[in-house]
Amino acid sequence: MARTPLIAGNWKMNLDHLQAVAFVQKLHWTLKDAKHEDGSVEVAVFPPFTDIRTVQTLLDADKIPFALGAQDLSAQDSGAYTGEVSGAFLSKLDCGYVIIGHSERRQYHGETDEVVAAKVQAALRHGIVPVICVGETLEQREESGPTAVSVEQLRVALAGLPADADVVIAYEPVWAIGTGQVASPEQAEEVCGALRAVIGEVLGADAAERTRILYGGSVKAANIAAFMREPDVDGALVGGASLLVDEFAAIIRYQKHVGV
Ligand code: PEP
């Protein structure tokens, strides 16, 4: 089964709603000018919550074929949870995806594997595909090897899900996020292959075959093609480079790079 590649831009806490409009329009025009074939790669943008309504309206009005996602959601559906955002609200704003368990949320907001699992369930309750982030720190890699931490994080996140659950996994080694210290394609493949095996064990062979696994961590136009040649890497979760129109467009157009 061919998995449609997914190139996802995590804007983090960057670009207000006005800047978001300019950015999305420019990205769309840049891809059109380059005669990018829309169906070849799925493109998703993950703006801050305050931009989502504006970006949704723009995508809809201008028929821009980008998917929309949020960077987090509440494990709860409604009620007295000040500052939280329900999956129900995101779903009404046409968010097809939500990032869950990004290392910055695990690190700065104390999100445990159990919280991540509860948020995955919340996303699925509202028909939103969770982009489940896993990855090890440098110390963890030295202590327990390249795959152990990500494998355990994924096992907890997937526990109890039905075999037909629609999820995306992002392998993001913490030491490669925003550092410029990119993993090698072989390192990414080693962990992504192990994660696919976990999906197979927990959700079954069909799920392992259809689920997309992304690599994230200092992805740029210059290194994306090598990752995409790996059999278990189905796309990228891009941070810093997703804020640069030309760079992000070149990442999306990786199939045109030499040697792919
Ligand atoms: C990220 O934060 O998900 C990420 C991969 O960031 P960067 O591309 O900047 O390393």
Side-chain angles (χ1 to χ4, degrees):
M1 181 203 290
R3 296 182 289 269
T4 304
L6 173 61
I7 302 294
N10 174 15
W11 296 0
K12 311 193 185 189
M13 198 169 68
N14 294 292
L15 304 183
D16 63 34
H17 69 290
L18 300 174
Q19 294 168 317
V21 169
F23 180 90
V24 169
Q25 281 177 329
K26 206 163 167 220
L27 180 62
H28 182 48
W29 293 332
T30 303
L31 291 169
K32 276 207 141 173
D33 282 352
K35 304 208 175 347
H36 174 70
E37 270 177 53
D38 285 333
S40 59
V41 173
E42 185 180 1
V43 178
V45 291
F46 293 77
F49 285 130
T50 50
D51 298 8
I52 289 177
R53 174 63 171 150
T54 307
V55 174
Q56 177 217 16
T57 305
L58 173 64
L59 297 180
D60 193 38
D62 289 7
K63 307 216 170 344
I64 299 175
F66 302 163
L68 182 59
Q71 298 173 18
D72 185 31
L73 89 173
S74 174
Q76 314 295 332
D77 293 341
S78 65
Y81 300 100
T82 302
E84 294 286 279
V85 175
S86 166
F89 308 158
L90 297 174
S91 169
K92 283 226 166 116
L93 290 169
D94 297 336
C95 282
Y97 294 101
V98 60
I99 296 172
I100 296 179
H102 190 280
S103 65
E104 286 152 15
R105 303 256 2 138
R106 293 179 188 261
Q107 193 182 341
Y108 305 139
H109 301 271
E111 290 194 9
T112 61
D113 290 349
E114 289 67 30
V115 169
V116 169
K119 290 187 172 193
V120 168
Q121 304 260 3
L124 293 171
R125 273 199 302 281
H126 297 289
I128 304 172
V129 176
V131 179
I132 305 169
C133 299
V134 298
E136 81 290 354
T137 63
L138 210 46
E139 297 71 45
Q140 289 169 325
R141 176 170 268 259
E142 277 157 14
E143 241 170 59
S144 45
T147 59
V149 169
S150 298
V151 159
E152 177 55 21
Q153 288 175 338
L154 186 59
R155 268 189 212 289
V156 178
L158 297 182
L161 297 189
D164 63 353
D166 196 2
V167 301
V168 170
I169 313 302
Y171 168 53
E172 297 210 305
V174 179
W175 46 272
I177 296 179
T179 59
Q181 197 192 333
V182 67
S184 70
E186 295 75 22
Q187 285 174 318
E189 173 59 23
E190 182 180 16
V191 181
C192 291
L195 295 175
R196 196 173 302 285
V198 171
I199 301 168
E201 283 166 35
V202 180
L203 299 181
D206 282 359
E209 185 59 29
R210 73 165 185 273
T211 298
R212 290 174 295 180
I213 304 179
L214 316 182
Y215 166 76
S218 299
V219 168
K220 307 210 168 0
N223 58 32
I224 179 70
F227 288 109
M228 296 306 291
R229 274 186 222 117
E230 297 295 339
D232 287 303
V233 177
D234 306 311
L237 183 54
V238 186
S242 77
L243 298 167
L244 309 169
V245 170
D246 291 333
E247 184 74 11
F248 194 52
I251 292 171
I252 293 165
R253 298 183 64 249
Y254 74 90
Q255 289 165 336
K256 301 291 175 211
H257 298 194
V258 182
V260 180

